[in-house]
Amino acid sequence: MSNDVRGEIRKVAVLGAGTMGNGIAQVCATAGMEVAMRDVEPSFLERGLAQIDKSLAKLVEKNVLSAGDRDAARARIHTTTELEAAVADADLVVEAIPERMELKIETFALLGKHAPKHAILGTNTSSLSVTEIAAASGDAARVVGLHFFNPVPLMKLLEIVRGLSTADATVEAARAFAARIGKEPIVVKDFPGFATSRLGVILGVEAIRMLESGVASAEDIDKAMKLGYRHPMGPLELGDLVGLDVRLAILEHLHKELGEQFRPPALLRQMVRAGKLGRKTGEGFYKY
Ligand code: CAA
């Protein structure tokens, strides 16, 4: 590793202002870190900030956060479309761009060049190989999976994924980061689907197959898991929350890596082709 990565994290660069990226930016800013949130289009940044404002307002309404702390957190979030500017003085970079390996590789190659040598480089991938992403940076020891859950401000888990070459000091820094932002970490080996997506996705894919076979309605399949198994949301509503395009991308990857049980159902492909991606487009298994 090029340098000591265990110093205090003062500045975080979050790449991607989508559902996960803006949530990550929010929790870092609320925990007192300066944040540079980067996306490729100004309109994506505006939408990300609007979601942060909505979430912070909800937390103030519920007395989880004071109005003063909200304003201070909000003032710590800066936006840019320039990757180099975003990461220039970052102590930690969290990548939350779309789930496509070629984009991750391109981004981590840039991070290897432009991020400070002491910075930890995290990827929020939910299933892709952290080892492969890390290799693209040219300094794999400081790359680690930092897998967050939607909605980021409310979900307690941070899944830390140790790539083949991730240094112990990087994992320890990731644990310290989790504590700082009030998340509970688990540390898992880099294996397709990690500990979370592999199980979560299998439930979701089986629910879609059951819907295809007419076993029960979407409402009743969800009700079965909520009332019969005490899940906070049913697997189909959860698919709508996560995004059906995201679900499909994870399934395609796990199908390739782990086999037949993850084969994407035809219904899911059709819905994605029709632009029915869940909450974000106003329709998925349900209408919003
Ligand atoms: N910020 C702040 N507040 C939020 C919020 C956010 N981002 N999202 C929701 N809330 C608020 C709601 O507005 C609601 O407020 P009101 O009570 O004032 O209406 C409050 O939180 C509680 O929500 P609800 O009462 O509607 O529902 P709930 O008690 O069931 O909690 C939930 C909502 C936390 C989302 C819960 O349903 C839950 O835990 N669902 C499962 C989520 C899950 O499994 N996430 C993981 C997805 S997989 C993933 O993200 C990883 C991947 O790799 C794809």
Side-chain angles (χ1 to χ4, degrees):
M1 196 167 4
S2 333
N3 211 329
D4 186 1
V5 292
R6 285 163 292 186
E8 202 207 337
I9 292 166
R10 280 180 298 268
K11 181 151 182 208
V12 183
V14 180
L15 307 183
T19 307
M20 301 308 287
N22 72 60
I24 296 164
Q26 179 182 324
V27 295
C28 290
T30 307
M33 295 167 232
E34 289 292 320
V35 177
M37 182 167 75
R38 186 261 177 176
D39 212 318
V40 290
E41 295 273 349
S43 65
F44 299 167
L45 292 167
E46 279 157 32
R47 203 161 56 202
L49 286 176
Q51 283 186 31
I52 291 173
D53 285 336
K54 205 167 139 196
S55 174
L56 288 174
K58 201 81 205 171
L59 298 175
V60 171
E61 185 189 309
K62 301 202 147 183
N63 292 321
V64 175
L65 202 66
S66 72
D69 287 346
R70 171 200 56 201
D71 295 344
R74 190 61 178 74
R76 285 192 279 267
I77 303 174
H78 313 278
T79 60
T80 176
T81 54
E82 301 298 324
L83 182 133
E84 268 189 68
V87 305
D89 51 353
D91 305 304
L92 167 70
V93 180
V94 185
E95 166 275 310
I97 67 174
E99 200 65 343
R100 287 178 20 218
M101 185 54 92
E102 74 277 13
L103 292 179
K104 309 268 188 198
I105 285 179
E106 189 188 316
T107 299
F108 275 77
L110 289 172
L111 292 181
K113 284 201 193 89
H114 300 298
K117 293 294 172 217
H118 74 277
I120 302 277
L121 307 178
T123 170
N124 179 52
T125 183
S126 43
S127 65
L128 299 177
S129 165
V130 171
T131 302
E132 190 175 348
I133 294 170
S137 72
D139 190 3
R142 60 184 173 126
V143 179
V144 64
L146 296 176
H147 185 202
F148 286 84
F149 297 84
N150 182 6
V152 178
L154 304 185
M155 303 304 283
K156 285 300 281 183
L157 184 68
L158 180 65
E159 186 174 44
I160 297 173
V161 184
R162 183 196 284 273
L164 194 67
S165 308
T166 305
D168 289 345
T170 303
V171 172
E172 286 320 304
R175 279 186 192 276
F177 169 65
R180 179 111 181 264
I181 58 173
K183 303 291 181 207
E184 195 62 50
I186 57 170
V187 178
V188 308
K189 193 168 111 178
D190 184 25
F191 196 86
F194 316 136
T196 51
S197 302
R198 186 165 164 188
L199 286 173
V201 158
I202 207 77
L203 194 71
V205 75
E206 210 50 44
I208 300 171
R209 289 195 191 109
M210 286 163 62
L211 189 64
E212 273 181 327
S213 338
V215 174
S217 65
E219 287 82 356
D220 283 353
I221 292 170
D222 281 341
K223 199 170 176 182
M225 296 318 288
K226 282 188 285 196
L227 302 188
Y229 282 70
R230 274 204 178 211
H231 289 191
M233 292 174 103
L236 298 168
E237 321 176 59
L238 186 57
D240 278 358
L241 176 72
V242 167
L244 299 185
D245 53 336
V246 175
R247 268 283 151 95
L248 179 59
I250 298 175
L251 273 173
E252 282 174 334
H253 178 68
L254 294 184
H255 180 225
K256 199 169 73 190
E257 295 278 340
L258 298 176
E260 209 41 36
Q261 71 270 35
F262 291 99
R263 178 184 289 281
L267 174 61
L268 179 63
R269 283 198 190 282
Q270 288 292 65
M271 291 177 72
V272 171
R273 284 181 185 138
K276 296 180 181 180
L277 306 183
R279 284 189 194 213
K280 62 186 170 189
T281 58
E283 188 176 350
F285 294 108
Y286 299 90
K287 285 205 163 86
Y288 299 90

